[in-house]
Amino acid sequence: MGAVELTVADGVGHIQLNRPEASNTVDMALATGLREAVAAAAEDDAVRAVLLTGSGKRFCSGGDIRSFVGEEDPTYLQRLAEEAGAAVMALEDIAKPVITAVQGAVAGGGLGIMLGGDLIVAQEGTKFVFAYPAIGLTPDCGVSYLLPRAIGQQRALAFALSGRAMSAQDALAQGLVAEVVEDAQARARELAAALAKGAAGAFGDSRRLLRASWTRDRATSAADEAATLSSRGQGEEARALFKAFLKH
């Protein structure tokens, strides 16, 4: 099995980080595997929603430090950061809703991978750790971009500079995750299945518009909203739902 696996069933593309023996830490194989899995899910018309999980006890404990230490190429860290960053950006850009289940620990780059999803379900007891300064490093995987947008700049800075872990309940209170449950993967599968059965095209465009708003001015967002609404309104998905709505 590869470092990342993609399976498709009942409209859900399940992307699983698959290095449980290494707490799904990010090496080049996982970074490339994630980027390729997201690309495959994006291109597959059978995939209407994406479920992102990590196998084993921990969702993702950040970068694979052993691979850093064992690599003699001085460009390795930059190449790894670029590849992992590209994978997260692909996840952000996919035109399909993404549900992420996390458990155990989410640290360093794992935070960025997690935040590439739209609805994040955390298992009770999960710990969230910024982690980078503890090993003398700085954010990658889009963490410096996504984290302050998720919880606000002051909270993000306090989290980054304090070195303290954040509990699942604190993550919920601060807006880092959407739900905290006993079985995160079961709940995430339930949510992904529901989205796959719904107006997946509208969900995909809605998440695109919301995410794009951070880097656009008001007029550009308004123009894209109008154009997207018009395009969707002429499509088969919306027209079928119009008819169903008018029957009630």
Side-chain angles (χ1 to χ4, degrees):
M1 298 177 71
V4 178
E5 297 292 327
L6 170 64
T7 56
V8 180
D10 300 323
V12 176
H14 181 186
I15 297 174
Q16 179 163 271
L17 310 182
N18 195 38
R19 299 187 70 216
E21 74 291 346
S23 298
N24 296 315
T25 48
V26 181
D27 63 359
M28 192 63 77
L30 188 140
T32 300
L34 179 58
R35 179 179 55 77
E36 291 176 346
V38 173
E43 295 171 2
D44 190 342
D45 291 338
V47 175
R48 295 173 56 80
V50 174
L51 170 64
L52 176 63
T53 66
S55 60
K57 295 180 179 181
R58 300 173 183 87
F59 172 73
C60 178
S61 294
D64 185 345
I65 300 172
R66 291 184 184 279
S67 76
F68 304 168
V69 173
E71 180 57 59
E72 296 181 0
D73 182 351
T75 70
Y76 176 76
L77 267 181
Q78 180 166 345
R79 290 188 292 107
L80 177 60
E82 289 172 348
E83 182 74 345
V88 173
M89 284 192 287
L91 192 60
E92 292 177 76
D93 291 343
I94 192 171
K96 300 173 184 184
V98 180
I99 311 300
T100 304
V102 299
Q103 76 286 345
V106 185
L111 293 167
I113 294 172
M114 176 188 79
L115 289 169
D118 304 316
L119 294 177
I120 300 166
V121 181
Q123 193 150 299
E124 291 179 359
T126 303
K127 297 295 184 184
F128 302 84
V129 187
F130 189 73
Y132 295 100
I135 54 171
L137 293 180
T138 50
D140 63 348
C141 293
V143 171
S144 62
Y145 181 92
L146 296 169
L147 184 63
R149 285 165 171 77
I151 64 175
Q153 180 168 293
Q154 285 300 304
R155 285 175 168 173
L157 286 167
F159 180 45
L161 301 179
S162 70
R164 294 192 299 270
M166 187 186 299
S167 70
Q169 291 299 331
D170 284 343
L172 178 64
Q174 294 193 27
L176 187 63
V177 303
E179 296 184 23
V180 176
V181 298
E182 289 186 9
D183 188 335
Q185 293 199 11
R187 175 58 175 154
R189 283 193 295 270
E190 178 184 316
L191 290 169
L195 289 170
K197 292 176 182 175
F203 290 141
D205 273 333
S206 294
R207 62 104 65 182
R208 177 183 61 78
L209 288 165
L210 288 164
R211 286 180 174 275
S213 69
W214 290 106
T215 56
R216 291 175 165 180
D217 59 43
R218 182 68 179 85
T220 302
S221 287
D224 195 1
E225 281 184 339
T228 302
L229 183 71
S230 175
S231 176
R232 296 228 62 86
Q234 297 173 55
E236 293 181 5
E237 181 180 82
R239 292 200 173 270
L241 291 171
F242 290 166
K243 291 179 181 179
F245 179 83
L246 292 173
K247 288 180 181 179
H248 294 290

